[in-house]
Amino acid sequence: MHKPNINSDFLLGICGLVAGCLILFVWVPLDVETGLIEKVRSRIVIGDSLAPSLAALALIVAGLMLMIQSFRTRGSVELSWHSLKYVGLILAILGLSMAVMRWVGPIGAHVGNADYRSLRDTVPWKYIGYFLGGSTMVFGLISMIEGRLRWRILIISVLAVIALMLVYDLPFENLLLPPNGDV
């Protein structure tokens, strides 16, 4: 029996394209109340839908690029145990990082008998979850890819997250770093 020759890059590109379109055309319009850019009291501020819309567009472009590139290469999809373990480890790292990002602030405030919702836009509370969860994510993913734990990776992770915090938090006074807007 003839086995169809399906290029894995093409399938991955389709997944990226579909996921990006679902985010951009279904999730963002149904879940986010503000637009890309809002005018508030004659001041222009970024809307809640800007970041997920840009991420969705990046996913769509990456998916299209993979699909186009797939026509230059030929290959077949083989799902191996090693591939499943690799994807499982990525999902575990992402899940742990998101849990740390989401819960470290509220748990810390609870231990200190404070109301996290009233603290979430004050230093250090507005940074703690994003910093620890983001550093965990970057450190975990780089360590997994390199196959070892190194101090250099930890330093790179911390610096990368600090750079992201500076880029996203300093220019916008009304922006709450994740997950503070949802808590």
Side-chain angles (χ1 to χ4, degrees), residues 136-153:
T136 302
M137 183 183 300
V138 175
F139 178 75
L141 292 172
I142 293 174
S143 296
M144 181 200 69
I145 290 167
E146 287 193 0
R148 58 186 169 200
L149 303 173
R150 298 176 66 186
W151 285 106
R152 184 182 66 101
I153 297 171

Side-chain angles (χ1 to χ4, degrees), residues 8 10 17-18 53 71 79 87 97 100 105 116 127 133 135 140 144-145 147 158 166 177 179:
S8 58
F10 187 78
L17 181 66
V18 169
S53 296
F71 293 115
L79 195 56
V87 170
S97 302
V100 167
Y116 182 73
Y127 299 117
S135 296
M144 181 200 69
I145 290 167
V158 166
L166 292 172
L177 291 171

Side-chain angles (χ1 to χ4, degrees), residues 7 9 20 30 66 68 86 94 114 135 147 155:
N7 190 300
D9 287 344
L30 291 177
L66 268 172
I68 291 167
Y86 191 79
L94 293 177
S135 296
I155 292 167

